[in-house]
Amino acid sequence: DIQMTQSPSSLSASVGDRVTLTCRAGQSILTFLNWYQQQPGKAPKLLIYSSSTLQNGVPSRFGGSGSGTDFTLTISSLQPEDFATYYCQQSYSYPWTFGQGTKVEIK
Amino acid sequence: QVQLVQSGVEVKKPGASVKVSCKASGYTFTSYGISWVRQAPGQGPEWMGWMNTYNGYTNYAQTLQGRVTMTTDTSTTTAYMELRSLISDDTAVYYCVRAPLFSTAVIPAFDYWGQGTLLTVSS
């Protein structure tokens, strides 16, 4: 199984801040990397697929990049509704594995 | 609009079985696969398996082999996940998700999720 490691596990930030989350795969996954946002008590929501493609309806302040083993999710200007937990997931090979998440909290 | 609507809360004793349903609507059911993902309290999501709704092929997580069965009823566009010999570690929220049929899909990700079904396993 491909291990996905996210860092940091949590971060505190203020509205308007630029934040960067990282995800590392245990082997090359090309660009088969997806990002999900999960609000408390809700199902995860797909934000970005194939490393950098925004899902329909996702605000342009979200951006993704990376290939191979190292990936980043950037939120250019944090909004109140962005405080949530973010998971990366590889879809290169089954089982499709998730990272343990980065919780973005209000400073 | 695409919707996946799951069955309700379940409470089971260790050793029992549970069967969760997932009613799909708003798209052609057999043009996409269905995966099941579970999330234990405070943990990240865990992929359980995938089913090709077109031909019935399944691919299960090794850790659940022999205890999980995924099926579909294409006449009602409903997917099912049965988990047997339940243990306390199976306590989690279970999600059905729309998944691509092929690795070359435009969106190789889980683009729609059900609302989740909470399963509690306790004596």
Side-chain angles (χ1 to χ4, degrees), chain B residues 100-115:
Chain B
L101 273 184
F102 307 106
S103 59
T104 53
V106 172
I107 302 179
F110 298 145
D111 58 353
Y112 287 93
W113 294 62
Q115 84 275 19

Side-chain angles (χ1 to χ4, degrees), chain A:
Chain A
D1 298 3
I2 299 175
Q3 184 170 358
M4 306 300 294
T5 303
Q6 291 185 242
S7 60
S9 55
S10 66
L11 67 86
S12 296
S14 301
V15 173
D17 284 353
R18 179 184 181 90
V19 299
T20 300
L21 286 57
T22 65
C23 176
R24 175 164 290 177
Q27 66 179 72
S28 174
I29 56 171
L30 304 180
T31 57
F32 288 90
L33 190 283
N34 310 310
W35 291 96
Y36 299 84
Q37 177 193 65
Q38 187 174 33
Q39 303 285 1
K42 301 286 190 181
K45 169 190 169 185
L46 178 63
L47 290 180
I48 289 172
Y49 61 91
S50 300
S51 179
S52 61
T53 305
L54 254 59
Q55 173 67 330
N56 284 344
V58 173
S60 59
R61 64 180 179 273
F62 290 94
S65 65
S67 65
T69 60
D70 294 315
F71 301 86
T72 60
L73 171 69
T74 300
I75 309 173
S76 60
S77 177
L78 206 57
Q79 298 302 300
E81 60 268 29
D82 301 337
F83 292 95
T85 300
Y86 294 84
Y87 294 99
C88 64
Q89 175 215 32
Q90 64 83 18
S91 54
Y92 177 77
S93 66
Y94 280 114
W96 285 12
T97 41
F98 291 82
Q100 283 303 301
T102 293
K103 186 174 184 179
V104 177
E105 299 174 301
I106 302 173
K107 183 183 286 184

Side-chain angles (χ1 to χ4, degrees), chain B residues 14 86-92 120-122:
Chain B
L86 293 170
I87 60 176
S88 58
D89 285 351
D90 293 323
T91 294
T120 301
V121 182
S122 174

Side-chain angles (χ1 to χ4, degrees), chain B residues 70-114:
Chain B
M70 296 175 187
T71 57
T72 60
D73 181 343
T74 55
S75 68
T76 60
T77 67
T78 301
Y80 299 92
M81 186 283 299
E82 182 180 31
L83 190 60
R84 300 175 293 278
S85 301
L86 293 170
I87 60 176
S88 58
D89 285 351
D90 293 323
T91 294
V93 177
Y94 288 74
Y95 295 102
C96 62
V97 298
R98 193 174 80 164
L101 273 184
F102 307 106
S103 59
T104 53
V106 172
I107 302 179
F110 298 145
D111 58 353
Y112 287 93
W113 294 62

